[in-house]
Amino acid sequence: NMLEAAEESGVAHAVNFEGRWLVDRLPVWDMVDEGFLGRPYLARVSTVGDLWHPSRRLQSEWMYRVEDGGGYLMGLSSHDIDFLTALCGEPEAVCANVKPSVPPREREDGSLLDVTADATSTELIRMKSGVTVSVSSSMIGLHVDRRVLEAYGSEGTIEITSTLMGGESASAIRAGKVGETGLHDIALSTRRPRSGVEIPARRAGSAILALALMLEDWLPAFEGKPTPRVPTLRNGWITQAVVDAARRSSAGEGWVGLAV
């Protein structure tokens, strides 16, 4: 497979999980790596939007077909699965419910588009480290645009509140440790590309910035240097294994073990 071929040839390889470098996730990644949580117990991400609500216009039709790679488990939750794997270690087993949630959609010409991909999914994941992880997303929440990450451990709590596309104006981090009186604000990442190139001020700007930082951190790989934080094809394979297991679980297999 691709992973084996890349490792055997020594080719630098990466997967575009740029979400690790979002302005509200990069500081949390650092905090967890530095032991802020102590022993992690639970981590979860919940995302709700209205992109597939029947009152909204159709998106590109391929997104509604699971056979074409559509759905928000693959298109959105995969990034959350990868990030929580970066925080909590590798997954061991998955139990999930993955479903379209919306009826066939009417096109402008009156014909119907059959919906086979998921608008809503929830994955409960057992990690090898013993941490419990959950990831849920739904795109049928009318007038809602909310993304929340919570992480709880023996020494502290971390919470991110954001929107689907995030960004500095829409995101906040709060955290607290044992002995403190509650949660307090944590600064968002202020890191910018060393090139000084201006990030476009548009809806996807936060993702563009995150991707630029990821690629910047990947550059040493082309000189044969280690880039331990950059997600590789192995990380992509692990996330794909979780997605596949979630679909099997939802189809009736219950808890599905992972050989990763």
Side-chain angles (χ1 to χ4, degrees):
N1 59 32
M2 290 176 62
L3 173 60
E4 291 173 342
E7 289 179 339
E8 290 174 2
S9 65
V11 171
H13 53 96
V15 174
N16 188 22
F17 285 134
E18 80 285 347
R20 299 184 184 196
W21 282 264
L22 290 170
V23 294
D24 53 7
R25 293 194 173 190
L26 189 55
V28 168
W29 193 10
D30 290 337
M31 291 168 68
V32 173
D33 277 359
E34 292 165 4
F36 185 94
L37 292 176
R39 177 186 175 189
Y41 296 141
L42 170 68
R44 59 190 181 192
V45 177
S46 174
T47 305
V48 180
D50 65 357
L51 297 177
W52 278 18
H53 191 272
S55 63
R56 292 288 299 265
R57 294 182 60 185
L58 283 173
Q59 294 184 305
S60 298
E61 290 197 3
W62 69 267
M63 293 186 66
Y64 298 87
R65 294 189 287 262
V66 69
E67 59 272 21
D68 291 338
Y72 279 89
L73 169 56
M74 179 63 76
L76 175 68
S77 293
S78 59
H79 291 268
D80 296 330
I81 292 166
D82 171 74
F83 186 61
L84 293 181
T85 298
L87 297 186
C88 304
E90 293 186 352
E92 183 176 66
V94 181
C95 187
N97 189 33
V98 185
K99 59 182 182 179
S101 297
V102 295
R105 297 291 305 273
E106 184 174 348
R107 300 182 177 95
E108 291 185 2
D109 64 4
S111 62
L112 292 180
L113 169 64
D114 190 27
V115 180
T116 59
D118 61 281
T120 302
S121 70
T122 298
E123 295 76 50
L124 182 61
I125 308 170
R126 286 200 303 252
M127 311 302 275
K128 294 177 181 178
S129 62
V131 181
T132 298
V133 162
S134 71
V135 176
S136 65
S137 65
S138 183
M139 290 300 115
I140 56 171
L142 182 62
H143 304 315
V144 177
D145 183 1
R146 182 184 304 121
R147 203 171 195 184
V148 178
L149 182 148
E150 301 163 289
Y152 305 102
S154 61
E155 298 297 323
T157 290
I158 302 173
E159 175 187 84
I160 299 174
T161 55
S162 184
T163 59
L164 189 59
M165 294 304 294
E168 292 173 296
S169 63
S171 302
I173 308 170
R174 302 186 73 216
K177 290 186 70 70
V178 170
E180 297 177 344
T181 57
L183 303 182
H184 53 87
D185 293 337
I186 301 293
L188 300 173
S189 171
T190 58
R191 182 180 164 190
R192 294 296 183 271
R194 291 192 298 267
S195 66
V197 171
E198 190 70 22
I199 301 299
R202 62 174 192 258
R203 190 165 183 262
S206 58
I208 294 170
L209 170 60
L211 178 57
L213 297 179
M214 188 196 103
L215 294 175
E216 187 174 271
D217 285 352
W218 191 37
L219 283 175
F222 295 91
E223 299 175 356
K225 299 176 182 178
T227 55
R229 280 200 150 192
V230 176
T232 66
L233 288 174
R234 175 173 171 77
N235 298 107
W237 170 63
I238 290 171
T239 298
Q240 184 65 62
V242 172
V243 169
D244 292 344
R247 297 193 189 284
R248 289 170 53 197
S249 173
S250 186
E253 293 190 29
W255 279 97
V256 177
L258 300 173
V260 298

